[in-house]
Amino acid sequence: MTPTCLTAVMLWPAKRWVAAIAVAIATYFLIGIPTAVIANPVFGRAIGVTSWSIPVLIATSVLSGMLFATYVRMDSVITDESSAKLGSVGGFLAYLAIGCPVCNKLALIALGSTGAIQYFAPVQPYLGAAGLLLLMYALRKRLVNESQCALPKPKKIKEQPQLDEINR
């Protein structure tokens, strides 16, 4: 049987699922509240939430939770740090994508309020798509490596008296 991403996920222990769910919920609120996709009294938006913002937020949350869960230690798992970097960039792009274009300080400084609406707002769906693609790629990379490159646990070497005598 050829290992796939689905088989790798199906073999996850409960602690990975708990981590995935916890991080997905945290990501949902950590991105949704400051971007005001989730209505709250602290943050507001000058421009309404777009129709694609909530699906991007949900997908980003789920993918981030699953990607984080791949870093929860299991036996015989090889770590790969490049996936973490790709996932971080993907999450950041999703954050920029679902935020209000006029509320983004970087866009305002670089483009002004008219430029942010005219130039940055049309690019936001592409940022969201790029962010999701990076998260999916990083997750796939982690899952494929996990299922294909699993190594057996190293066995402890018992002390051998003959070697001690030779070394003297």
Side-chain angles (χ1 to χ4, degrees), residues 9-99:
V9 170
M10 298 304 288
L11 296 174
W12 280 5
K15 67 181 179 180
R16 274 201 172 179
W17 285 109
V18 169
I21 292 167
V23 169
I25 291 169
T27 302
Y28 182 79
F29 287 110
L30 286 172
I31 293 177
I33 290 175
T35 58
V37 172
I38 299 171
N40 65 81
V42 178
F43 298 99
R45 290 178 72 107
I47 296 175
V49 176
T50 58
S51 61
W52 50 266
S53 292
I54 293 173
V56 169
L57 176 60
I58 292 169
T60 299
S61 301
V62 170
L63 290 170
S64 297
M66 292 182 72
L67 181 61
F68 179 86
T70 63
Y71 288 93
V72 173
R73 184 125 171 93
M74 276 181 34
D75 293 338
S76 69
V77 174
I78 297 173
T79 60
D80 176 20
E81 299 305 320
S82 65
S83 298
K85 292 174 187 171
L86 288 173
S88 298
V89 171
F92 181 69
L93 288 176
Y95 175 79
L96 291 177
I98 65 172

Side-chain angles (χ1 to χ4, degrees), residues 80-139:
D80 176 20
E81 299 305 320
S82 65
S83 298
K85 292 174 187 171
L86 288 173
S88 298
V89 171
F92 181 69
L93 288 176
Y95 175 79
L96 291 177
I98 65 172
C100 170
V102 178
C103 305
N104 184 329
K105 303 299 183 232
L106 296 175
L108 276 178
I109 290 170
L111 305 170
S113 61
T114 305
I117 293 170
Q118 188 174 4
Y119 299 112
F120 184 64
V123 174
Q124 284 181 297
Y126 300 108
L127 290 175
L132 290 175
L133 287 173
L134 283 173
L135 281 167
M136 286 188 282
Y137 176 75
L139 178 61

